[in-house]
Structure formats: structure tokens, C-alpha cells
């Protein structure tokens, strides 16, 4: 996507100013010209999980059919309300994780 930074800026600007302080990072998934995911889905999931972003993780593994993936998604669905943005807590020095 030639205008990826412009898309980031567009979505960032849609966030209300007083809500922006809740963000510690902005991430995305990258695809090549054939629509194939670039990089490791597990590394991407790890980064998203660290930020407490459950929905993008579910979308990342949406087409996977393995037993372990289904168990992982079930875990996320069951515990989504308990999964916090660890990155934010670490950046704010509210805890010493990682």
C-alpha cells in the first residue's frame, strides 16, 4: 500500500484528543501484493496481545483450523475482559512486566 502512513495518520486523527493518551503504540498487519501476510503471524499476535488488542488477533487467525489455534481463540474470547494493555502499564511505570 503506497499510502500506508497516510492511512495511519487518518485513523490516528479520528481518535479524540483526550483519548490519545491511552495509546502507547500503533500497529498494523502488512500484506504483500498477493495479499499474503508479511512476517510471522505469531510475532504479530504476540505484539497485539502485549497491547491488549484481542479483535485483531482473532482476525489474524480467522482462517486457521488447527486445534491449538481454536483453543487459543477460545481462551481469548473467554478472558478478553481480563487482558489488559501491558504496554501501556509498562510505559506508565505502573508495573514491571517483561
Amino acid at each position: 500500500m503506497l499510502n500506508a502512513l497516510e492511512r495511519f495518520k487518518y485513523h490516528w486523527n479520528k481518535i479524540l484528543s483526550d483519548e490519545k493518551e491511552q495509546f502507547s503504540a500503533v500497529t498494523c498487519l502488512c500484506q504483500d501484493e498477493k495479499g499474503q501476510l508479511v512476517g510471522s503471524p505469531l510475532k504479530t499476535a504476540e505484539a497485539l496481545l502485549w497491547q491488549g488488542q484481542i479483535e485483531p488477533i482473532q482476525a489474524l487467525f480467522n482462517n486457521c483450523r488447527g486445534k491449538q489455534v481454536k483453543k487459543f481463540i477460545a481462551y481469548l474470547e473467554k478472558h478478553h475482559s481480563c487482558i489488559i494493555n501491558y504496554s501501556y502499564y509498562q510505559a506508565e511505570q505502573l508495573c514491571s512486566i517483561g
Side-chain angles (χ1 to χ4, degrees), residues 37-57:
L37 185 64
V38 175
S40 166
L42 293 178
K43 286 291 185 186
T44 302
E46 178 183 23
L48 292 169
L49 187 58
W50 182 250
Q51 296 168 17
Q53 297 185 30
I54 305 306
E55 291 81 13
I57 296 171

Side-chain angles (χ1 to χ4, degrees), residues 5-20 23 26:
L5 292 177
E6 292 168 357
R7 299 301 303 158
F8 264 116
K9 186 174 187 306
Y10 169 79
H11 288 288
W12 177 254
N13 289 337
K14 286 180 62 176
I15 301 169
L16 299 175
S17 295
D18 57 337
E19 292 179 357
K20 286 184 180 179
F23 290 83
V26 179

Side-chain angles (χ1 to χ4, degrees), residues 10-84:
Y10 169 79
H11 288 288
W12 177 254
N13 289 337
K14 286 180 62 176
I15 301 169
L16 299 175
S17 295
D18 57 337
E19 292 179 357
K20 286 184 180 179
E21 67 186 31
Q22 299 175 27
F23 290 83
S24 61
V26 179
T27 62
C28 70
L29 299 176
C30 297
Q31 296 178 333
D32 64 17
E33 62 279 355
K34 296 179 183 176
Q36 300 297 315
L37 185 64
V38 175
S40 166
L42 293 178
K43 286 291 185 186
T44 302
E46 178 183 23
L48 292 169
L49 187 58
W50 182 250
Q51 296 168 17
Q53 297 185 30
I54 305 306
E55 291 81 13
I57 296 171
Q58 291 170 317
L60 180 64
F61 293 110
N62 194 31
N63 294 327
C64 296
R65 301 191 194 332
K67 181 178 178 181
Q68 296 296 342
V69 172
K70 289 183 180 185
K71 289 174 87 172
F72 178 59
I73 296 301
Y75 174 87
L76 292 177
E77 290 171 354
K78 182 175 182 180
H79 299 285
H80 70 88
S81 63
C82 301
I83 298 172
I84 62 171

